[in-house]
Amino acid sequence: MLRRRNFDVTRFHSILDVGSGAGQILGHLLRFAPQQTQIVACDLSHKMLCRARQRVKNHRPFYVAADMTRLPFAEGSFDCV
């Protein structure tokens, strides 16, 4: 029996993880998103992004320290947030 995931990320090409913290959701995104999917981890705290890097140990995500009320991305940059 095929198990259905509640949050299917296989159809996205660019994902923004806002409030990434220590990378809990990043692990899920990296496991289930296609290899060519661009994943950006964004958090206000540099320290939390460092923890995420250590936890994930994958060079695929791009890490950005920013305030979610002033994100440094153009509108429409991501097809999943």
Side-chain angles (χ1 to χ4, degrees), residues 20 26 30 39-42 48-50 52-54 56-65:
S20 293
L26 275 178
L30 290 165
I39 299 174
V40 177
C42 182
M48 292 305 280
L49 290 174
C50 285
R53 276 191 191 102
Q54 291 172 347
V56 172
K57 295 183 180 158
N58 185 312
H59 299 288
R60 188 168 152 206
F62 183 70
Y63 297 91
V64 176

Side-chain angles (χ1 to χ4, degrees), residues 3-47:
R3 195 171 159 200
R4 184 172 174 238
R5 284 177 260 159
N6 291 332
F7 183 64
D8 183 8
V9 296
T10 59
R11 68 182 188 270
F12 301 114
H13 302 286
S14 55
I15 300 172
L16 175 61
D17 180 16
V18 178
S20 293
Q24 295 89 335
I25 301 298
L26 275 178
H28 172 80
L29 295 174
L30 290 165
R31 191 170 26 258
F32 296 109
Q35 185 65 34
Q36 68 274 15
T37 300
Q38 174 193 21
I39 299 174
V40 177
C42 182
D43 199 277
L44 183 61
S45 170
H46 288 278
K47 287 183 181 182

